[in-house]
Amino acid sequence: MKRVLSVILLGAMAVIFFSSLSWLPSVGDPHSAPNTHVSPYYLERSYKDTGATNVVTAIILVYRGLDTLGETAVIFIASVATIAILGYKVNNGNRKSSLDDKTGSHEVFGGFVLNTAYRYMVPAILLFAVYILFHGEYSPGGGFHAGVLFGLTILSSQLITGYQQTILSVKLAVLLAGIGVLIYAVVGLLSFFFGGIFLEHGVLPFNIKEIGLQGLSILIVEIGVAICVMATIVVVFTIMDRNGGKE
């Protein structure tokens, strides 16, 4: 019965998806609404509206900020789903939570060369990640990219030095992923209490010039996104590794 319902649901989604394609404008059509109205508006008004010189950041975190909040929540849900599906080991027929497990399926790869490279490269990678995070408002980059670099740095630590030396347990990582989403949601919803719309930073009653206040709010949102992405990467890869990739 479940399979029949799944097939029916997938079929209905496929019909909706393919029927909606006819409503989309042709690729590169200069007379389409995105090319005649939306894009010119973003290019002309994004800095004045948002205070972000990076138009991509303005679009992702302000104009369609609610959509990006949903994407960030999906990333957090991915970490929870990974634990629900793979967060248990099967030993002698018994299921056991692997969240507190300090071992992994791999051998520790550390050695003189790797340890030396790790010691010198990690600070540089972290510094670059911080630069991308804080510079996302002005140039390509932002919370998603910085979060990936932070997460990969922690995973490198686990692979080279072992789980005993890790600075981020799975439980703490899940908590941080949720906090990242919460930071984003709180900053976005705060403007509602002062008569604005979601992520309308200029209405907040802080004694900062409007453009500066908007830039600060965007940075706080970027930090929330980075925390969520970093923590989710750690959760997914750590759980998969502790299960030996059998699943």
Side-chain angles (χ1 to χ4, degrees):
M1 187 61 183
K2 290 183 178 179
R3 289 186 177 182
V4 175
L5 291 175
S6 299
V7 171
I8 293 174
L9 181 61
L10 288 175
M13 292 178 63
V15 171
I16 294 173
F17 175 75
F18 285 109
S19 63
S20 65
L21 292 179
S22 61
W23 294 82
L24 297 177
S26 301
V27 176
D29 181 4
H31 304 294
S32 66
N35 288 329
T36 56
H37 301 290
V38 181
S39 298
Y41 179 87
Y42 287 159
L43 294 175
E44 294 173 3
R45 299 278 304 177
S46 62
Y47 178 73
K48 185 176 182 180
D49 289 346
T50 69
T53 55
N54 182 3
V55 179
V56 176
T57 298
I59 294 173
I60 293 177
L61 293 185
V62 181
Y63 290 123
R64 53 174 288 252
L66 186 60
D67 183 52
T68 306
L69 173 62
E71 295 172 353
T72 309
V74 168
I75 294 173
F76 166 65
I77 292 171
S79 65
V80 177
T82 301
I83 292 175
I85 297 172
L86 301 177
Y88 293 91
K89 282 185 173 181
V90 179
N91 296 323
N92 300 321
N94 298 319
R95 287 167 58 84
K96 176 184 177 183
S97 173
S98 64
L99 302 187
D100 296 322
D101 195 355
K102 292 292 185 181
T103 62
S105 64
H106 67 267
E107 298 178 357
V108 175
F109 297 116
F112 176 75
V113 175
L114 275 179
N115 288 345
T116 303
Y118 168 78
R119 189 175 301 114
Y120 286 101
M121 290 183 64
V122 164
I125 295 173
L126 288 176
L127 182 62
F128 184 56
V130 171
Y131 169 79
I132 289 178
L133 175 61
F134 281 82
H135 217 250
E137 180 188 343
Y138 309 103
S139 63
F144 289 100
H145 310 73
V148 171
L149 287 176
F150 286 132
L152 293 180
T153 303
I154 295 174
L155 291 178
S156 299
S157 170
Q158 293 178 173
L159 290 172
I160 294 174
T161 65
Y163 286 102
Q164 298 291 342
Q165 306 299 325
T166 186
I167 61 173
L168 193 61
S169 67
V170 174
K171 286 184 177 179
L172 180 58
V174 174
L175 178 63
L176 287 177
I179 290 176
V181 178
L182 185 63
I183 291 173
Y184 193 146
V186 168
V187 173
L189 295 173
L190 195 59
S191 56
F192 282 125
F193 295 97
F194 301 97
I197 60 176
F198 186 76
L199 280 177
E200 188 176 356
H201 311 293
V203 301
L204 300 181
F206 298 118
N207 188 22
I208 305 175
K209 290 183 179 180
E210 185 175 340
I211 297 298
L213 177 60
Q214 291 172 338
L216 177 62
S217 297
I218 290 175
L219 175 60
I220 295 174
V221 170
E222 296 269 28
I223 291 173
V225 172
I227 292 174
C228 180
V229 172
M230 172 199 69
T232 299
I233 288 176
V234 172
V235 170
V236 172
F237 282 88
T238 302
I239 290 295
M240 291 178 66
D241 182 59
R242 288 177 181 175
N243 283 273
K246 294 178 181 179
E247 287 78 2

